[in-house]
Amino acid sequence: MDYRNLGASGLRVPILSFGAGTFGGSGPLFGAWGNTDAEEARRLVDICLEAGVNLFDTADVYSAGASEEVLGQAIRGRRDAVLISTKTALPMGEWPQDWGASRARLIRATEDALRRLGTDYIDLLQLHAFDASTPVEEVLSTLDGLVASGKVRYVGASNFAGWELMKSLAAAERHGYPRYVAHQVYYSLAGRDYEWELMPLGADQGVGALVWSPLAWGRLTGKIRRGQPLPAASRLHETAQYGPPVDDEKLFDIVDVLDAIAAETGRTVPQIAINWLLSRPTVSSVIIGARNGEQLRQNLGAVGWSLSKAQIERLDAVSAVTAPYPYFPYRRQEGFARLNPPIV
């Protein structure tokens, strides 16, 4: 397993990390992902650690805290061997104090996460979404206090727009608060919007990407193809409405190229899709998930080898889409591109 620094920080993370969204799964979304209990979770953690994957990502909103609880049980007795990433800010209840990133909410959410995880510190605490109702200075000063207390080591964001992330980074710089070193983002061959603004911002500001849903919400598993119905076991039957939108015809074109490269390399479609992401700028780690050991070992096979330059170019070409304004002139017109050449 290779390791990369998380953004401009000194925290070294594995290029693959494990997403614990299936742990303790319940409800219409997380229940469809899986329902891994503590015993099976411990086996999955064993497999990860044997492969060098020591970063485990969760969130308080995953199954109303059950994911954090199961992860805490799975790592019991080996806390020093793992890195824990968790997220907060999304609603955990119906009352106003149950959502957002106010000082009161962040302090309470962190204390609750520590209790559920059975630990006294969190390696990476990320805001799951931008809270427009709370001043960024209040958010950052609270995170500063949590870092100073030793309860949090590093801070990051997730699902921020470019201006939201940049505003937060500027305020942190101005006041001397901890800067976000990570941005957990959706990025896949079937969803490359991250490249328009957030990737250049991350490269400029030293914010590393932690990629969620690298298989496009289960669409790049190799089981979904043109002219065929969804497999009966696909979680898309229950969860498609919650995930990022994907153009079906574009998806099938991408899968055709993935199939061809799979035949050339002897690798699986998911392994190729994940490996492509690891070649992209600013990507610090790709978060993989699994319901069982066999699926996990398959996903771990995405590392230890490289796609050829020609294969990457074919995947780039088939997955490319026209950038929205104001980005498309910088891709299409020489004068614009000379001023601001793309980093990919």
Side-chain angles (χ1 to χ4, degrees):
M1 184 62 56
D2 291 330
Y3 299 82
R4 297 173 180 174
N5 281 51
L6 184 56
S9 79
L11 181 62
R12 287 177 287 278
V13 298
I15 58 175
L16 294 182
S17 46
F18 185 85
T22 60
F23 288 7
S26 63
L29 175 58
F30 301 108
W33 284 7
N35 185 17
T36 304
D37 61 19
E39 183 179 355
E40 178 63 16
R42 192 168 184 87
R43 283 195 289 268
L44 295 177
V45 170
D46 289 341
I47 294 170
C48 284
L49 293 178
E50 288 170 6
V53 173
N54 67 337
L55 174 59
F56 298 88
D57 180 74
T58 183
D60 57 8
V61 76
Y62 292 172
S63 300
S67 174
E68 290 179 327
E69 291 176 351
V70 172
L71 177 59
Q73 295 171 45
I75 64 169
R76 187 172 297 159
R78 45 187 171 175
R79 176 65 181 93
D80 291 343
V82 305
L83 299 171
I84 296 176
S85 162
T86 193
K87 302 179 290 294
T88 192
L90 291 178
M92 287 287 286
E94 299 300 322
W95 293 97
Q97 63 268 28
D98 292 334
W99 56 270
S102 68
R103 178 171 289 107
R105 162 76 168 128
L106 273 181
I107 292 173
R108 182 163 63 91
T110 301
E111 296 288 355
D112 288 345
L114 291 169
R115 173 180 48 79
R116 287 190 291 261
L117 289 162
T119 185
D120 56 2
Y121 69 95
I122 294 165
D123 295 284
L124 175 64
L125 179 66
Q126 300 162 96
L127 299 187
H128 215 156
F130 184 75
D131 179 4
S133 66
T134 300
V136 294
E137 290 81 5
E138 179 178 337
V139 176
L140 293 167
S141 67
T142 305
L143 293 174
D144 182 47
L146 291 169
V147 171
S149 71
K151 295 176 180 178
V152 172
R153 300 288 169 84
Y154 294 90
V155 295
S158 182
N159 305 314
F160 277 32
W163 73 267
E164 295 165 345
L165 182 56
M166 193 64 239
K167 181 176 182 178
S168 301
L169 293 170
E173 188 77 17
R174 186 165 59 249
H175 297 288
Y177 296 141
R179 298 175 90 255
Y180 296 144
V181 299
H183 192 195
Q184 192 166 144
V185 298
Y186 168 60
Y187 187 26
S188 78
L189 275 166
R192 294 177 59 180
D193 292 347
Y194 169 69
E195 296 175 6
W196 308 141
E197 182 170 69
L198 294 172
M199 179 184 283
L201 192 162
D204 181 70
Q205 293 293 313
V207 180
L210 297 176
V211 177
W212 62 263
S213 202
L215 300 182
W217 209 252
R219 293 177 172 89
L220 296 176
T221 60
K223 300 176 182 178
I224 298 175
R225 288 183 169 82
R226 182 183 281 106
Q228 298 181 15
L230 281 178
S234 173
R235 60 183 172 90
L236 285 168
H237 292 288
E238 290 81 26
T239 66
Q241 69 270 27
Y242 300 111
V246 173
D247 178 85
D248 283 345
E249 285 306 309
K250 190 72 174 178
L251 171 69
F252 297 141
D253 290 343
I254 293 168
V255 172
D256 288 343
V257 175
L258 286 168
D259 278 337
I261 295 176
E264 297 165 9
T265 61
R267 304 289 177 175
T268 67
V269 166
Q271 288 171 349
I272 295 166
I274 294 169
N275 191 277
W276 177 85
L277 283 167
L278 293 172
S279 71
R280 314 304 285 176
T282 74
V283 172
S284 294
S285 186
V286 174
I287 302 170
I288 60 173
R291 298 186 186 189
N292 53 58
E294 179 183 357
Q295 190 179 50
L296 175 55
R297 288 189 175 91
Q298 281 289 320
N299 287 337
L300 290 170
V303 301
W305 57 279
S306 299
L307 292 162
S308 71
K309 180 180 178 181
Q311 290 166 340
I312 291 175
E313 289 174 348
R314 286 157 60 192
L315 290 169
D316 290 350
V318 74
S319 62
V321 296
T322 300
Y325 177 81
Y327 311 109
F328 73 79
Y330 294 91
R331 300 297 180 102
R332 287 185 176 184
Q333 299 179 35
E334 181 182 354
F336 282 83
R338 188 175 299 171
L339 289 169
N340 189 15
I343 64 174
V344 294

